[in-house]
């Protein structure tokens, strides 16, 4: 069986998909988002190597808590960097009626279709909807995440969209309306959630000896985020 590099496991998470879920934070990410709060997940060679069979044993123990809506979520890092592992894990979960959720920025490579066939829900982290701004914010290639999104469209897998609102970067009404137009063109979106930028991960950069790109950016106002949440929902309705 496949073995994966796991940063950490949250036994019963409440914010990474519907219901109560066991959340696997996988090691490795090809993006360097300016507001990333998990820089300790960047390197693929970190974390603990765990086999699918061992994880399934853990999930069986937690399964009574999942109820009708909970299950397992693979997050990161970027779980698509370990796509063979996640695909095998989700395949085993489906055999035992455990709901599967993929929390991703869509930045990986591999057989997306095989993975999406055993994925019940995708939490898709939209970094930016414009290619040039996407690269400036993440250091990544917008075409890579677009390819993944096209695979999700083809598979018709249900999507929850998430987007981090950062002061002076992604918090303008014009940006939110543009994001709404981008989302409106995606047919299988079930939910859209704006997340306020926070600074809780800054200490990790200090410990790692890495400069934090947004050290002068304050946390996003939660009340303004609520106003923008209403704006985007109005723009896609």
């Amino acid at each position: 069986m496949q073995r994966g590099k796991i940063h950490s496991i949250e036994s019963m998470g409440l914010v990474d998909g519907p219901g109560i879920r066991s959340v696997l934070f996988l090691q490795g990410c090809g993006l360097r988002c300016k507001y990333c709060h998990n820089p300790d997940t960047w390197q693929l060679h970190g974390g603990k190597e765990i086999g699918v069979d061992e994880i399934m044993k853990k999930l069986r123990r937690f399964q009574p808590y999942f109820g009708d809506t909970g299950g397992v979520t693979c997050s990161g890092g970027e779980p698509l960097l370990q796509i063979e592992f996640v695909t095998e894990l989700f395949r085993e979960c489906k055999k035992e009626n455990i709901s599967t959720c993929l929390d991703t920025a869509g930045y990986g490579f591999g057989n997306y279709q095989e993975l999406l066939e055993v994925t019940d829900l995708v939490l898709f982290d939209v970094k930016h909807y414009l290619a040039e701004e996407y690269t400036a914010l993440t250091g990544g290639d917008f075409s890579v995440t677009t390819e993944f999104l096209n695979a999700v469209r083809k598979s018709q897998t249900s999507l929850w969209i998430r987007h981090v609102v950062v002061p002076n970067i992604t918090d303008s009404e014009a940006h939110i309306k543009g994001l709404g137009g981008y989302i409106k063109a995606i047919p299988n979106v079930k939910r859209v959630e704006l997340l306020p930028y926070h600074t809780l991960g800054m200490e990790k950069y200090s410990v790692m000896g890495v400069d934090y790109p947004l050290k002068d950016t304050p946390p996003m106002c939660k009340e303004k985020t609520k106003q923008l949440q209403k704006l985007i929902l109005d723009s896609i309705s």
Side-chain angles (χ1 to χ4, degrees):
M1 281 192 160
Q2 291 281 341
R3 298 181 67 80
K5 290 293 187 69
I6 309 298
H7 173 269
S8 56
I9 299 175
E10 185 176 352
S11 300
M12 291 187 284
L14 299 173
V15 297
D16 297 286
I20 296 173
R21 312 190 73 83
S22 290
V23 186
L24 276 63
F25 295 94
L26 276 67
Q27 197 72 30
C29 185
L31 297 176
R32 293 295 181 267
C33 301
K34 289 183 176 179
Y35 54 78
C36 179
H37 60 277
N38 287 322
D40 45 335
T41 67
W42 287 347
Q43 301 303 322
L44 188 58
H45 57 70
K48 180 181 179 182
E49 191 173 287
I50 307 178
V52 167
D53 52 349
E54 186 177 342
I55 291 174
M56 288 304 300
K57 289 178 183 177
K58 294 178 183 291
L59 295 179
R60 290 186 195 105
R61 291 204 304 272
F62 298 130
Q63 195 169 4
Y65 299 99
F66 295 158
D68 295 331
T69 57
V72 63
T73 297
C74 279
S75 185
E78 173 51 72
L80 291 180
L81 289 188
Q82 300 188 57
I83 190 168
E84 293 87 359
F85 168 78
V86 178
T87 301
E88 184 172 313
L89 174 63
F90 280 10
R91 192 176 290 126
E92 292 301 310
C93 286
K94 297 306 292 179
K95 291 178 183 178
E96 304 196 25
N97 296 314
I98 296 175
S99 167
T100 57
C101 176
L102 181 72
D103 184 3
T104 178
Y107 208 81
F109 308 92
N111 192 329
Y112 295 144
Q113 244 15 81
E114 275 193 18
L115 172 58
L116 292 171
E117 284 173 4
V118 288
T119 300
D120 294 315
L121 175 68
V122 173
L123 303 185
F124 187 53
D125 184 4
V126 176
K127 304 297 185 181
H128 209 289
Y129 62 92
L130 298 174
E132 187 174 333
E133 298 298 328
Y134 177 93
T135 299
L137 188 61
T138 70
D141 181 348
F142 189 66
S143 67
V144 176
T145 193
T146 300
E147 182 181 347
F148 173 76
L149 184 56
N150 287 338
V152 176
R153 281 194 180 99
K154 184 177 179 180
S155 71
Q156 298 185 330
T157 306
S158 294
L159 270 172
W160 286 9
I161 300 290
R162 286 176 164 179
H163 181 69
V164 178
V165 184
V166 184
N168 302 315
I169 298 179
T170 58
D171 67 335
S172 70
E173 291 191 5
H175 170 82
I176 295 301
K177 288 178 180 177
L179 177 65
Y182 172 80
I183 293 171
K184 202 168 184 178
I186 307 169
N188 36 334
V189 175
K190 307 299 182 185
R191 180 172 173 174
V192 178
E193 183 180 12
L194 299 183
L195 306 175
Y197 162 78
H198 61 74
T199 58
L200 299 179
M202 285 183 65
E203 182 62 27
K204 294 181 182 179
Y205 286 80
S206 177
V207 171
M208 293 172 62
V210 177
D211 287 336
Y212 184 62
L214 301 183
K215 58 181 178 292
D216 296 323
T217 301
M220 181 66 197
C221 172
K222 292 183 179 179
E223 187 56 41
K224 184 177 180 181
T225 305
K226 290 179 181 178
Q227 295 170 6
L228 295 176
Q229 177 76 42
K230 183 179 185 303
L231 177 64
I232 197 164
L233 292 180
D234 289 344
S235 73
I236 63 177
S237 61

